[in-house]
Amino acid sequence: MALPHVIRRSLPMRFLSWATEAALIAGPFGLHQPAEDAAELEPDIILTPLVGFDRSGNRIGQGAGYYDRAFLAHPNAWRVGVALSVQEVDTLTPDPWDVPLHAIATESDWITP
């Protein structure tokens, strides 16, 4: 299993190995993440927290671009958004740099655009 690891906004997010018994360290933005010396892994699936989404796979994130850059860096990874159903909107207009999701998981639905 790999978890996101962030150092600062100007650097890309990495996915570092994490064993469930290993302690997480405090990171920026209130994150808990694997230690910086953990092995970097190539993710098969990237679970992405959402602020909003539509059924076409468009999304609104936190605005820092970490996941857009991660999607581009790992083009073979399946992109899955995680949200509550109340975060769904009818339509979002993506920006040119936005990468659509392959699926969205909510507490009540599995959406595949």
Side-chain angles (χ1 to χ4, degrees):
M1 177 182 291
L3 294 178
H5 184 271
V6 175
I7 296 173
R8 64 180 163 273
R9 204 174 286 270
S10 63
L11 295 174
M13 177 169 59
R14 299 182 307 148
F15 294 93
L16 301 184
S17 177
W18 180 69
T20 56
E21 67 278 357
L24 296 173
I25 63 166
F29 317 113
L31 297 174
H32 290 87
Q33 55 191 16
E36 190 168 337
D37 61 351
E40 188 165 354
L41 300 177
E42 180 69 27
D44 294 320
I45 299 170
I46 299 175
L47 299 177
T48 307
L50 303 176
V51 172
F53 68 93
D54 67 19
R55 288 190 174 249
S56 295
N58 299 309
R59 64 187 179 80
I60 299 172
Q62 297 289 327
Y66 282 112
Y67 282 94
D68 287 308
R69 293 190 307 264
F71 293 161
L72 293 174
H74 305 284
N76 295 322
W78 223 55
R79 303 177 300 273
V80 179
V82 179
L84 297 172
S85 59
V86 298
Q87 293 171 270
E88 182 178 353
V89 298
D90 290 333
T91 304
L92 291 172
T93 303
D95 288 313
W97 56 83
D98 288 333
V99 180
L101 300 167
H102 291 111
I104 299 112
T106 73
E107 80 285 1
S108 60
D109 209 355
W110 176 257
I111 302 162
T112 52

